[in-house]
Amino acid sequence: MQITIEPGWKAILKDEFEKPYFKDLIEFVKYEYKSSKCFPPENQIFSALNHTPFNDVKVVIIGQDPYHGDGQAHGLCFSVGENVAIPPSLKNIFQEIRTDIGKEIPNHGYLLRWAEQGVLMLNATLTVRAHQAGSHQKRGWERFTDAIIQKLSEEKEGIVFLLWGGPAKKKGSKVDSAKHLILNSGHPSPLAANRGYWFGNKHFSKANDYLIEIGKSPIEW
């Protein structure tokens, strides 16, 4: 299993890679990918880090598991390939963007363009066994992604953290609100959105207003 990680992240996380838990995690992931069908493809496990270098991070979106259906996950939370049906949560994200800033809903759910603008699209768990939601939880990924969030909070300023739903809020609970903007809301899944916990949060305009205010370029959502 080849682990290729963007040099900035590699330097920031070098101590993490040497810890016993991470070595155990990688051994587990290697075994899972050899013995079972897993997602995302092996060369896309660290896509969130590789497409959004440490020095470029302006916004962080925290997801949970990768999608566990065939052909969906490619390493960026909430995103799917151009030829894959848009999942319900992402449909609701697009709907809020249209209501909030007037941008038309795209005909695909491939969000690489967000990542390339500085939006770190990080799942709490970076791998999953096919059709088995949560199957790679509590194996070490959560500790690793906690370390990523902690490094961003400690070593950078002026990042927007978009925390959608209980697990994301919990994961972002240690972000320094004196240095960063934290925006909380319900999850965009239909269950939460249809109860009034998602629509109208205006996170996309609020994020851009903050970025402009501190002298950074806004995100083209």
Side-chain angles (χ1 to χ4, degrees):
M1 180 180 181
Q2 293 293 321
I3 300 176
T4 304
I5 296 181
E6 186 270 331
W9 282 113
K10 197 171 185 179
I12 285 291
L13 297 168
K14 64 181 187 300
D15 291 342
E16 216 64 27
F17 298 140
E18 296 303 317
K19 292 179 180 178
Y21 90 88
F22 188 81
K23 293 180 178 180
D24 290 344
L25 167 64
I26 293 303
E27 288 305 312
F28 166 75
V29 171
K30 283 180 183 176
Y31 175 79
E32 284 287 291
Y33 272 73
K34 283 182 180 177
S35 61
S36 306
K37 188 176 186 179
C38 296
F39 301 123
E42 200 172 298
N43 65 349
Q44 296 177 346
I45 292 172
F46 295 101
S47 284
L49 303 182
N50 290 329
H51 287 301
T52 310
F54 180 79
N55 289 334
D56 297 347
V57 177
K58 296 195 287 190
V59 178
V60 177
I61 299 175
I62 300 174
Q64 296 177 36
D65 266 13
Y67 296 119
H68 55 81
D70 291 322
Q72 291 181 301
H74 65 96
L76 305 179
C77 70
F78 293 105
S79 179
V80 292
E82 290 187 356
N83 299 315
V84 178
I86 300 174
S89 291
L90 186 52
K91 285 183 180 179
N92 286 339
I93 290 171
F94 286 153
Q95 190 172 330
E96 176 60 24
I97 290 171
R98 181 175 64 180
T99 304
D100 184 13
I101 61 175
K103 187 175 180 66
E104 285 305 307
I105 293 175
N107 59 8
H108 64 81
Y110 189 48
L111 303 180
L112 179 63
R113 60 192 177 82
W114 291 6
E116 291 176 339
Q117 294 177 78
V119 181
L120 180 65
M121 305 174 67
L122 184 69
N123 277 312
T125 304
L126 299 190
T127 57
V128 69
R129 195 181 294 175
H131 316 301
Q132 296 183 41
S135 50
H136 287 184
Q137 290 179 359
K138 298 180 181 177
R139 291 287 186 162
W141 279 130
E142 294 90 345
R143 182 172 170 182
F144 178 67
T145 51
D146 278 348
I148 291 171
I149 293 165
Q150 187 171 351
K151 289 290 186 183
L152 288 167
S153 178
E154 290 174 353
E155 303 207 13
K156 294 179 73 72
E157 292 184 7
I159 294 176
V160 183
F161 287 84
L162 302 180
L163 307 181
W164 300 337
K169 291 174 190 174
K170 186 176 180 182
K171 197 159 187 68
S173 63
K174 294 183 180 178
V175 174
D176 186 349
S177 60
K179 295 169 60 183
H180 306 283
L181 177 64
I182 300 169
L183 297 175
N184 294 297
S185 84
H187 194 273
S189 68
L191 184 63
N194 293 339
R195 291 178 177 175
Y197 299 131
W198 166 255
F199 293 117
N201 65 27
K202 298 188 180 297
H203 278 191
F204 305 96
S205 61
K206 288 176 181 177
N208 278 351
D209 288 347
Y210 175 78
L211 292 172
I212 292 167
E213 184 182 316
I214 62 173
K216 296 183 181 180
S217 57
I219 305 299
E220 181 63 40
W221 298 107

